[in-house]
Amino acid sequence: MTHKHCFEALDRTMRDISRSSQPNMQSKPFGGKVILFGGDFRQILPVIPKGTRTMIVNASLNSSYIWRHCKVLKLTENMRLRVGCQEADLKEIKEFGEWILKLGDGLLGEENDGEIDIEIPDDLLIHDQQRAILAPTNEVVDSINKELLESLPGEEKVYFSSDSLCQSEEESELNMALFPPDVLNNLRLSGLPNHKLVLKVGAPVMLPKNINQANGLCNGTRLKITKLGKVVIEAKIITWTNIDHHTLISRLKMTPSDKKIPVKISQRQFPLSLCFAMTINKSQGQSLERVGLYLPRPVFSLGQLYVVVSRVKNRKGLKILICDKEKRVYTTTTNVVYKEVLQNL
């Protein structure tokens, strides 16, 4: 999901550094150093806000001048599916892995070079309304989180953020009039928690940013609330490294990198968000035992459907609920594949 400009900036920096001490390495990419890129172009590409298909494809690494210097090494065995499996399940696992690859390559159903409806196997479908943990948009995720928090026993505790313009911003009368505190409180910006954060003991939460990487407190780390205080929240890490480690989370002052508004704002809030459910983009890179996908609207970006079905270790760990606004259940959904991204691999 990294924009090609990040790699190109690293390339130019390393060329500049190497040129000063080793003139014979001027023309070599990355100053002659070996760089290993890891990833899957079937998955979600760099996120370009309101970007067109052309803009998204052009932001990918294989659209960069660096790509002609790369040698592609392909992995041939799906280790995620084979870990801990029984010999009797190998045939089913192989078939499931092949189905995942066909979905990612746009080979299911008719020829797919964009968006096309595909049939979902019956054993993966949920035919009645049940809980799900992955969804395509933040609005759907928020509705699931709110409903499941209400069903969790215990008393709710509400934390409100303190929002203001950054001190670096000019405190002009126009800025103060356009962005008073009540307007800032209602903004939903990427990487920031909600102004009104409602929590309960036992609720699962996720960190939206890196806090302490050495202790496993990174962007995407999931925790379980154990105590709710006035100035700190105690939680237990439940994913990745340092599982079962208890940590204290305090309020932080955060500034979003979102360019939706012309001024910089500062928010003071606990860096936590509920994660009974989470967006498909946020789940990328994680291995999960069970995934429930809730699709009240189709996926809208390349690789989102592929990311969901490849999070689980076996077919039994995946369930999909496809419905519309009237709660009518369907067996088909949209798959998005851009063939031009996959052609030069």
Side-chain angles (χ1 to χ4, degrees), residues 24-82:
N24 62 322
M25 298 179 66
Q26 289 182 11
S27 61
K28 293 185 178 181
F30 297 99
K33 305 299 181 183
V34 178
I35 303 294
L36 176 65
F37 302 106
D40 186 352
F41 287 97
R42 299 183 188 92
Q43 296 192 20
I44 299 166
L45 297 179
V47 176
I48 309 296
K50 298 182 180 180
T52 63
R53 173 174 175 170
T54 302
M55 293 166 63
I56 295 171
V57 171
N58 188 55
S60 302
L61 175 61
N62 59 357
S63 296
S64 170
Y65 68 85
I66 296 173
W67 191 249
R68 65 177 181 269
H69 301 290
C70 294
K71 180 179 179 181
V72 179
L73 304 174
K74 296 184 178 180
L75 302 177
T76 58
E77 188 172 329
N78 193 327
M79 299 302 296
R80 187 197 305 273
L81 298 184
R82 300 180 71 90

Side-chain angles (χ1 to χ4, degrees), residues 190-208:
S190 177
L192 288 186
N194 294 339
H195 165 64
K196 182 181 179 181
L197 184 61
V198 184
L199 300 174
K200 287 183 180 180
V201 172
V205 292
M206 179 181 290
L207 294 174

Side-chain angles (χ1 to χ4, degrees), residues 83-288:
V83 171
C85 72
Q86 304 295 325
E87 289 294 327
D89 300 329
L90 288 179
K91 182 180 179 181
E92 179 184 338
I93 289 172
K94 182 180 178 181
E95 292 175 350
F96 184 49
E98 291 173 351
W99 182 79
I100 291 174
L101 290 177
K102 287 181 180 179
L103 185 147
D105 290 332
L107 301 178
L108 292 182
E110 303 174 18
E111 183 68 19
N112 184 4
D113 189 14
E115 297 185 11
I116 192 171
D117 289 342
I118 63 169
E119 189 83 16
I120 301 297
D122 188 69
D123 63 315
L124 298 182
L125 290 169
I126 300 175
H127 292 285
D128 55 0
Q129 304 293 326
Q130 296 186 24
R131 297 177 182 178
I133 64 168
L134 295 184
T137 63
N138 284 314
E139 290 76 15
V140 177
V141 167
D142 288 343
S143 66
I144 297 172
N145 283 332
K146 182 179 179 181
E147 183 176 340
L148 294 184
L149 183 68
E150 291 174 352
S151 67
L152 189 70
E155 183 181 352
E156 291 183 349
K157 194 171 182 65
V158 181
Y159 299 93
F160 292 98
S161 69
S162 173
D163 303 321
S164 61
L165 294 178
C166 280
Q167 294 181 351
S168 59
E169 290 292 331
E170 181 181 352
E171 294 187 3
S172 64
E173 292 184 5
L174 179 61
N175 280 347
M176 300 301 291
L178 291 176
F179 301 101
D182 57 329
V183 171
L184 298 179
N185 292 343
N186 291 323
L187 293 176
R188 293 294 306 274
L189 299 175
S190 177
L192 288 186
N194 294 339
H195 165 64
K196 182 181 179 181
L197 184 61
V198 184
L199 300 174
K200 287 183 180 180
V201 172
V205 292
M206 179 181 290
L207 294 174
K209 61 178 295 181
N210 294 332
I211 297 178
N212 188 332
Q213 293 181 333
N215 289 329
L217 301 178
C218 307
N219 184 5
T221 298
R222 286 181 287 157
L223 308 97
K224 183 177 181 181
I225 300 294
T226 54
K227 289 183 181 179
L228 294 170
K230 289 185 178 181
V231 293
V232 293
I233 294 174
E234 183 183 284
K236 179 174 67 174
I237 298 175
I238 57 176
T239 57
W240 299 346
T241 58
N242 296 348
I243 291 181
D244 292 333
H245 175 74
H246 286 253
T247 186
L248 296 177
I249 308 293
S250 60
R251 294 180 191 267
L252 296 179
K253 187 172 285 189
M254 295 167 280
T255 301
S257 57
D258 204 312
K259 305 298 183 183
K260 290 181 181 178
I261 57 175
V263 295
K264 286 187 177 182
I265 70 168
S266 175
Q267 182 190 73
R268 190 168 181 271
Q269 176 64 292
F270 290 101
L272 299 171
S273 59
L274 283 171
C275 72
F276 288 103
M278 56 183 166
T279 60
I280 296 171
N281 289 28
K282 203 69 175 178
S283 72
Q284 183 160 286
Q286 301 191 31
S287 294
L288 305 169

